[in-house]
Structures are given as C-alpha cells and as structure tokens.
Amino acid sequence: DTEVTQTPKHLVMGMTNKKSLKCEQHMGHRAMYWYKQKAKKPPELMFVYSYEKLSINESVPSRFSPECPNSSLLNLHLHALQPEDSALYLCASSLVGRRNTEAFFGQGTRLTVV
Amino acid sequence: GQQLNQSPQSMFIQEGEDVSMNCTSSSIFNTWLWYKQDPGEGPVLLIALYKAGELTSNGRLTAQFGITRKDSFLNISASIPSDVGIYFCAGKKGGFGGGTSYGKLTFGQGTILTVHP
C-alpha cells in the first residue's frame, strides 16, 4: 500500500474562514510533508515533519499552521487566507533516512479562497 | 532557491513515438526521482534512482542517474495517449550526519507531454 489520502478533495473558503486540510498514511512513514502547487508549476515545499516534530518551515506565513498529531496523520490549519493562496495543496510521506527515501504524494486538495 | 533545469518544457508527439527528457543541476544529488502528474491529481512516482550510473526501467519507462550525480534522464518508448501529463524530475540531497536537507525535494519545472493519437 503506497497510498496517501487527503481530505477534502476540493475546498472553497472565504478570507475570514478557518478550515483544515487532512492527510493520512499507513505506510509506517515517519516523515510527512506539505507542498503548495500552482497550475503548471512544480510543487513548492512548505513544511516537513520528522517523527511528529516540525523540522522544516520554508518561511510559510503564519496563516498556515501545520500539526502532526501522530505518526499517521498530518493536518494543515488555514485561517485568514488570501485569494493568492488558492492552489493545489499536496501532502507527501516518506521514510526517514539518508537514502532510499522516495516521497509518495496524495491526490491533493484543490483550495479556492474567495 | 535551487532549481533543476528540466527540458524540454513541452513536447507534442504522435502516438508510438519515443520520448526523452532530462534534468541537470549545478550541484550533486544523492537521489533522483521522476514523477508524472495528471491534471488535478497529485504526482505519482514513476522511477527512483539512488546510485550514480544506475539505469532503471519500469515498463516502457527507462531512467538513468548520471555519473556526475548532477543529471538524470527519462525515456518513454512507444508512447500511448495515456502518457499525456506533466513529468517532473526531483532531486534529493541527504548526506551523512542527517541535517535538515534530507526531507527536501528540489523539483524541475516540468515537461508537459501531449500525445496525438
């Protein structure tokens, strides 16, 4: 099983709303990632969690708040977003290590901020 | 941030033709990954390469990890309509001693492949 499951698949939210994106994997991976992707562009790394601890924050605005409640789950809490935050948000997971740690992606959440 | 130079940016080919795309970097990577992404979906891993000079196949796909560890190519033989999509290369560093770079994939800009029946 190489599946990373993201919910919801689509989300429309207003600029004053609070919402959360969810990600789940059962591959025993202890590294989990959030990426943001604009149309026809490569994914851009936002956050990396390793062993449920935040290890990389790519200078992401505080209106994005990640959370890793356990080794299988990763959340991204959204608050006071801007229209330019509309994008495909991808979750990924991998083993932790120096080598042989390919990342598997979920199908993404298409976020539209209105 | 660091980028991988992926080429070509787009390709328009006839069904049955072979396809070749590549990625180059000014710095060394320890892992090269090739992904395919369909519209509205997440990237799907096609091939992973871990060793300089490694040549790996997955069905009609073949990818190689360059000897210098600064480049990789992907070939698709006998293309079919379902090969349509965006192909991304991604490089990962990660030396000994850990550090924070292990989790970071550096992506190429993507190759948009269109296959005409």
Side-chain angles (χ1 to χ4, degrees), chain A residues 24-87:
Chain A
E24 188 169 4
Q25 57 86 18
H26 296 286
M27 294 179 277
H29 291 170
R30 302 302 294 275
M32 296 187 77
Y33 315 82
W34 281 114
Y35 284 84
K36 173 183 176 181
Q37 187 180 28
K38 292 284 198 178
K40 296 187 178 179
K41 295 292 187 183
E44 298 174 17
L45 183 67
M46 300 174 72
F47 303 104
V48 180
Y49 273 83
S50 172
Y51 296 104
E52 296 84 69
K53 287 186 173 19
L54 183 65
S55 61
I56 296 176
N57 177 342
E58 290 287 277
S59 302
V60 179
S62 60
R63 57 185 184 270
F64 295 91
S65 175
E67 177 197 21
C68 190
N70 61 55
S71 60
S72 299
L73 295 174
L74 185 67
N75 299 322
L76 185 63
H77 303 297
L78 314 172
H79 174 54
L81 295 194
Q82 303 297 311
E84 59 265 28
D85 296 322
S86 299

Side-chain angles (χ1 to χ4, degrees), chain A residues 9 31 33 35 37 40-45 48-51 55-56 58 88 90 95-108 110, chain B residues 30-31 33 35 37 39-45 48 50 69 86 88 92-98 100-105 107-110 112:
Chain A
K9 191 164 173 64
Y33 315 82
Y35 284 84
Q37 187 180 28
K40 296 187 178 179
K41 295 292 187 183
E44 298 174 17
L45 183 67
V48 180
Y49 273 83
S50 172
Y51 296 104
S55 61
I56 296 176
E58 290 287 277
L88 183 68
L90 295 164
L95 295 170
V96 175
R98 298 186 294 269
R99 298 179 186 274
N100 295 16
T101 54
E102 60 265 34
F104 295 92
F105 285 83
Q107 80 277 25
R110 171 69 60 191
Chain B
N30 289 322
T31 301
L33 307 172
Y35 290 89
Q37 188 172 24
E41 300 292 329
V44 173
L45 183 65
Y50 302 109
R69 293 197 283 158
I86 303 179
F88 290 104
K92 190 162 79 71
K93 295 182 184 288
F96 296 100
T100 59
S101 64
Y102 65 87
K104 298 180 71 166
L105 286 178
F107 281 86
Q109 292 302 303
I112 301 172

Side-chain angles (χ1 to χ4, degrees), chain B residues 21-43:
Chain B
M21 58 192 80
N22 69 82
C23 275
T24 59
S25 171
S26 58
S27 60
I28 288 172
F29 289 94
N30 289 322
T31 301
W32 284 92
L33 307 172
W34 284 93
Y35 290 89
K36 176 179 183 263
Q37 188 172 24
D38 293 328
E41 300 292 329

